[in-house]
Amino acid sequence: MKILIVMDPGIVMPVNGYGGIERLVDLYAREYNKQGHKVELLITTGSQIEGCLVHDFGKEGFPPQKKDALLAIPSAWKFLLKNHHRFDLIHNFGRLAYLIPVLNKPVKKIMTYQREITGRNIKYITRFPNKNLLFTGCSADLLTRTHLPGKWKAIHNGIDFSQYQCTTDLPENAPLVFLGRIERIKGCHTAIAVAKTTGNQLIIAGNVSTLPEEIEYFEKQIKPHIDSKQIIYIGQVNDTQKNEWLGKSKALLMPIEWNEPFGIVMIEAMACGTPVIGYTKGSVEEVVDEGITGFKVKDKDAMIKSIARLPQINRNQCREKAEERFSVRTIAHQYLVFAGMMA
């Protein structure tokens, strides 16, 4: 089977730094290839994906200049009009507009959303004659906020579990960890309060948002608590450091104040055997398996109480359950089943 994966140009793959969706595109392309499919990608100039054929249609630059983003649309149209007949499946992680020339062509098409979904384009596009057009979102919670036309399915994100090491033996004084962009809706201030109340060390990892209000949030509500003893800020981490810090922590705290569409750091933690304690917002409810991969709580007081329950979690079982549900192999298979390409 031949698969074309499309992603907005701007970030070169493999990703070196920021690029959440691009990392997923890279993973799924490699996994489709590993499962025996021929994979081609329409992505940023200069990208290379092992085992796959890459076609570039836009230059590097994030966020892309408005002119470059607009130029990508006719470039995608030209490629798809010329080559759509060569593919059994087009898996689009970029703009829905890219699919316009092939909407009514027989090639199967999956439009995948990783962020909040705006309905105007979907309602407009689905008024046109179309064939084999499918939509997915990265969580069921995300889809509950759409109520849009078309055939939809929630398919979670996956990771390559071979890139994460499960750590099972931790000392009693192992730290808690908060890993993510430091902005109010991520709840870092709550993680600090939980650590202080329970007498635990907290490792804070992540970049500070560049928005003025978030810089002020960091300066006034986070920085004053950083003492490099109990509350330790280590800044943005690479994949190796992420693996290390997640593995040596007794739990990942996710006191989010918004409906986060997925939060891939949750399964990265689970892959290290580290349970997640998260507020029941966004995808947390469906990602965390209560008592196996973590605990789902409603507020700060409940999060504080759950710290004492962490010894109940078997870290090997935490990883095994997460791998069963969120390995890239499992998720790639779900996409192909949804497209009718596999049983």
Side-chain angles (χ1 to χ4, degrees), residues 45-93:
T45 300
S47 298
Q48 293 182 334
I49 306 294
E50 183 180 357
C52 306
L53 179 61
V54 171
H55 307 277
D56 46 36
F57 79 124
K59 64 183 182 180
E60 182 180 6
F62 186 85
Q65 297 292 320
K66 185 175 182 180
K67 177 184 175 183
D68 294 330
L70 291 175
L71 285 174
I73 297 175
S75 295
W77 288 351
K78 182 178 179 180
F79 180 88
L80 290 174
L81 280 170
K82 182 179 179 181
N83 296 284
H84 68 86
H85 62 280
R86 296 197 294 109
F87 300 104
D88 301 290
L89 171 66
I90 298 172
H91 194 168
N92 183 23
F93 290 82

Side-chain angles (χ1 to χ4, degrees), residues 241-258:
Q241 294 168 321
K242 184 189 298 183
N243 201 337
E244 175 188 355
W245 285 108
L246 287 173
K248 66 171 58 173
S249 299
K250 65 175 68 174
L252 170 74
L253 302 186
M254 285 275 293
I256 52 175
E257 297 183 0
W258 72 304

